[in-house]
């Protein structure tokens, strides 16, 4: 089953713009969580890490596509460096398991280093609801 452009836009608007699904938090991961994973699955564990809440005004939605409209910044890495971050999730949990609403792959994997402050510029976290023809 695939979504129409109109429904994909309505769904993403409900998630990102109107807040119908509650607050959204970005989690960083060392692998894809998979369709059944939570925000805690393969989540970053470096010292200083915390999920970041993104306000509804800070997302852009156009048809089936979404992206962060402003930079998303994570606290400074103070220890446990070396992990390679490859994925992100958008979910409803500030901590703990947290339900994954959407997940994506980072365009450029990041190797965590002490002293680093991870910053994802506007448009770095993008995705889409599939509108491909059903197979």
């Amino acid at each position: 089953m695939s979504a129409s452009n109109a429904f994909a836009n309505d769904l993403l608007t409900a998630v990102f713009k109107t807040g119908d699904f509650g607050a959204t938090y970005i989690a960083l991961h060392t692998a894809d969580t998979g369709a059944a994973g939570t925000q805690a699955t393969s989540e970053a564990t470096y010292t200083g890490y915390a999920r970041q809440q993104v306000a509804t005004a800070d997302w852009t939605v156009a048809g089936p596509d979404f992206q962060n409209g402003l930079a998303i910044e994570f606290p400074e890495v103070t220890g446990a460096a070396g992990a390679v971050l490859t994925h992100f999730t958008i979910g409803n949990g500030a901590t703990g398991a947290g339900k994954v609403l959407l997940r994506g792959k980072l365009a450029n994997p990041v190797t965590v280093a002490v002293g680093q402050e991870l910053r994802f510029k506007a448009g770095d976290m993008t995705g889409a609801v599939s509108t491909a023809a059903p197979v």
Side-chain angles (χ1 to χ4, degrees), residues 32 86-90 102-106 126:
D32 181 22
T86 58
H87 290 76
F88 69 95
T89 57
I90 301 165
L102 296 161
R103 67 188 208 275
K105 187 173 183 177
L106 295 174
T126 64

Side-chain angles (χ1 to χ4, degrees), residues 1 6-7 16 20 23 28 31 34 44 52 55 69 74 79-80 87 89 96 124 130 132-133:
M1 180 175 295
F7 177 73
F16 293 121
D20 290 347
L28 300 175
Q52 296 302 297
F74 287 80
H87 290 76
T89 57
D124 278 355
S130 177

Side-chain angles (χ1 to χ4, degrees), residues 9-24 56 92 99 101:
N9 186 77
D10 290 349
L11 175 64
L12 292 174
T13 297
V15 170
F16 293 121
K17 302 306 283 179
T18 64
D20 290 347
F21 284 77
T24 55
T56 55
N92 64 359
K99 182 189 307 178
L101 301 175

Side-chain angles (χ1 to χ4, degrees), residues 34-135:
T38 70
Q39 284 189 286
T41 305
S42 303
E43 188 172 16
T45 58
Y46 63 82
T47 308
Y49 170 78
R51 293 180 193 159
Q52 296 302 297
Q53 184 175 1
V54 180
T56 55
D58 297 345
W59 291 105
T60 60
V61 172
D65 304 311
F66 68 89
Q67 68 179 12
N68 58 310
L70 296 175
I72 299 171
E73 299 178 0
F74 287 80
E76 180 178 349
V77 179
T78 58
V84 178
L85 305 175
T86 58
H87 290 76
F88 69 95
T89 57
I90 301 165
N92 64 359
T95 61
K99 182 189 307 178
V100 172
L101 301 175
L102 296 161
R103 67 188 208 275
K105 187 173 183 177
L106 295 174
N108 298 301
V110 177
T111 301
V112 176
V114 171
Q116 182 178 35
E117 293 179 359
L118 298 175
R119 182 176 191 271
F120 297 90
K121 295 185 279 186
D124 278 355
M125 293 188 169
T126 64
V129 171
S130 177
T131 56
V135 290

